[in-house]
Amino acid sequence: MTANNACCACKPDDAIVQSDEAVVQSDEAVEHPVVPGALLPDAHVISACSNVVPPNKLKWHDANGSTFDCEWYSHENRCASDGDKHKKFGMTANNACCVCKGLD
């Protein structure tokens, strides 16, 4: 993955490091090799995943109501137990929520 793929607002002089879990961005140039996964000084972690937000909605939630959103699914193994149920806006939590990705 390149910086242009990982960061939509990257400046040409930004230093980008990719780890297995996240992309790390720093405003400081790197003049030496960086250990993969290490945070750079003043680094900001940029999530590689975003929750789906349906059109004209603030967030996705399941068919049981707005309480049952991606935050709710992030607790107590709820993705595994219910993430493929209660479809709303054409998708289940396993499709809509980062925390559930890969479980569908």
Side-chain angles (χ1 to χ4, degrees):
M1 176 181 292
T2 67
N4 290 335
N5 294 342
C7 178
C8 60
C10 293
K11 299 174 204 142
D13 59 344
D14 283 354
I16 303 295
V17 176
Q18 180 182 352
S19 73
D20 291 339
E21 296 181 9
V23 175
V24 179
Q25 176 183 355
S26 173
D27 294 331
E28 297 180 14
V30 177
E31 297 178 7
H32 53 79
V34 177
V35 176
L39 292 177
L40 300 173
D42 300 320
H44 309 281
V45 176
I46 303 168
S47 175
C49 182
S50 297
N51 294 330
V52 173
V53 179
N56 301 316
K57 300 294 177 186
L58 297 176
K59 62 183 180 178
W60 175 88
H61 61 81
D62 76 15
N64 291 321
S66 62
T67 300
F68 303 97
D69 59 8
C70 294
E71 171 61 26
W72 186 86
Y73 277 93
S74 71
H75 300 282
E76 300 173 15
N77 205 27
R78 292 172 177 161
C79 291
S81 63
D82 292 308
D84 62 345
K85 302 172 186 167
H86 317 297
K87 186 183 280 190
K88 181 73 174 185
F89 308 111
M91 64 194 85
T92 64
N94 287 355
N95 307 122
C97 302
C98 272
V99 69
C100 299
K101 295 291 184 188
L103 296 178
D104 54 351

